[in-house]
């Protein structure tokens, strides 16, 4: 179901990577590999969490919906994570709007099937609990970031994270999505992207951002890019060495 390709590139979802063969086979029997289009809604606030999703490619976003109808992005899920993990702790309904930000391939499980596997499989149980801890850690970092770092540094952080967690150098990122992620108005996003382009880090057009100079983008991004990357990595301690080392890479942290 998930494996390292011969060229070293890892395919599949990192939470399920390298499980013992018997466990992987049993999981595969319950999994449905589905292709989701951009903007497909998987969960809404108050909806039952009947299925959970593990991105193999593409990415999901989690939003809090406000009373005035606006939305604020609070989570971004790539191959390092899953959508619907609160159901494994007994939550029956979603508190968030979960939408496919970038189309791709996802493993879908009926929540009851995955919960039964978690009960019988201590390693899967540990991994998914680690993931929940990583999500809580990321939320804390983001809360601090939103209060302390300017919008250009935060935009750089989020573009790097999008690049790392499922998207290519040519990112499909609309101004609207970036505004929801940063919690700012679209004109502010326009100004931030123009500044990143002026500095040589990106080029951008309508609905697309291209990472022109990753090292430059890393220099501009706030420390939270690195803190978050390490927070994710320390909860993925089963990864093979090259991948694990990438997550714990301290470059850029001073
Ligand atoms: Zn920050």
């Amino acid at each position: 179901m998930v494996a390292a390709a011969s060229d070293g590139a890892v395919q599949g979802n990192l939470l399920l990577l390298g499980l013992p063969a018997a466990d992987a086979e049993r999981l595969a029997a319950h999994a449905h590999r589905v292709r989701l289009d951009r903007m497909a809604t998987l969960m809404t606030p108050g909806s039952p969490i009947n299925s959970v999703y593990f991105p193999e490619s593409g990415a999901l976003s989690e939003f809090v919906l406000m009373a005035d109808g606006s939305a604020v992005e609070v989570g971004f899920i790539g191959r390092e994570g899953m959508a619907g993990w609160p159901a494994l702790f007994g939550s029956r309904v979603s508190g968030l709007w979960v939408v496919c930000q970038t189309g791709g391939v996802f493993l879908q499980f009926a929540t009851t099937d995955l919960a039964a596997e978690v009960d019988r499989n201590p390693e899967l149980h540990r991994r998914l609990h680690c993931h929940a801890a990583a999500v809580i850690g990321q939320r804390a970092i983001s809360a601090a970031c939103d209060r302390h770092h300017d919008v250009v540094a935060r935009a750089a952080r989020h573009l790097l994270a999008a690049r790392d967690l499922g998207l290519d150098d040519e990112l499909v990122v609309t101004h609207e999505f970036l505004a929801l992620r940063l919690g700012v108005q679209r004109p502010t996003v326009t100004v931030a992207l123009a500044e990143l382009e002026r500095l040589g880090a990106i080029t951008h057009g309508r609905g697309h951002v291209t990472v022109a100079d990753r090292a430059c983008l890393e220099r501009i991004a706030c420390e939270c890019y690195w803190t978050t990357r390490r927070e994710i990595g320390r909860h993925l301690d089963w990864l093979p060495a090259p991948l694990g080392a990438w997550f714990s890479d301290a470059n850029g942290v001073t």
Side-chain angles (χ1 to χ4, degrees):
M1 184 164 56
V2 286
S6 58
D7 63 359
V10 173
Q11 301 172 336
N13 185 279
L14 300 184
L15 293 176
L16 306 178
L17 181 69
L19 284 171
D23 295 339
E25 283 183 19
R26 215 171 40 248
L27 270 178
H30 294 298
H32 301 278
R33 185 170 274 109
V34 296
R35 180 171 291 279
L36 298 175
D37 294 329
R38 182 172 173 273
M39 294 307 295
T41 288
L42 306 185
M43 301 171 201
T44 55
S47 68
I49 308 175
N50 294 324
S51 295
V52 297
Y53 298 85
F54 294 78
E56 292 194 315
S57 63
L60 305 172
S61 288
E62 297 175 312
F63 295 92
V64 170
L65 296 183
M66 311 302 284
D68 64 2
S70 60
V72 179
E73 190 187 59
V74 295
F76 180 67
I77 307 167
R79 293 187 305 129
E80 86 303 337
M82 64 177 290
W85 60 265
L88 303 177
F89 291 82
S91 287
R92 296 185 177 177
V93 299
S94 177
L96 302 172
W97 175 40
V98 182
V99 62
C100 185
Q101 182 182 139
T102 305
V105 177
F106 299 78
L107 284 183
Q108 177 187 20
F109 293 87
T111 303
T112 50
D113 288 341
L114 187 65
E117 281 301 316
V118 168
D119 283 346
R120 70 186 294 181
N121 184 330
E123 175 60 12
L124 183 62
H125 183 280
R126 184 182 80 85
R127 290 184 179 196
L128 299 188
H129 277 63
C130 279
H131 175 60
V135 171
I136 293 167
Q138 291 173 68
R139 299 278 203 268
I141 293 167
S142 289
C145 183
D146 290 346
R147 294 182 193 179
H148 282 270
H149 293 140
D150 70 55
V151 69
V152 174
R154 290 196 293 127
R157 170 200 167 193
H158 286 294
L159 290 173
L160 283 170
R163 173 66 187 83
D164 293 345
L165 300 182
L167 306 183
D168 296 327
D169 277 340
E170 180 87 14
L171 306 174
V172 181
V173 180
T174 66
H175 286 208
E176 181 180 10
F177 255 122
L178 205 48
L180 294 173
R181 177 163 299 168
L182 297 172
V184 298
Q185 299 298 311
R186 287 172 63 174
T188 304
V189 170
T190 301
V191 171
L193 290 178
E195 178 64 4
L196 290 174
E197 186 159 8
R198 187 188 70 79
L199 294 168
I202 66 164
T203 60
H204 78 289
R206 186 176 177 84
H208 283 263
V209 174
T210 300
V211 178
D213 184 342
R214 183 185 170 102
C216 179
L217 199 57
E218 290 180 354
R219 286 194 297 274
I220 297 167
C222 62
E223 69 200 57
C224 305
Y225 166 69
W226 301 97
T227 311
T228 300
R229 184 163 135 179
R230 285 181 297 159
E231 180 69 6
I232 294 170
R234 76 186 182 90
H235 290 98
L236 290 169
D237 61 12
W238 54 88
L239 292 184
L243 258 180
W246 181 86
F247 275 104
S248 62
D249 187 346
N251 284 344
V253 176
T254 57

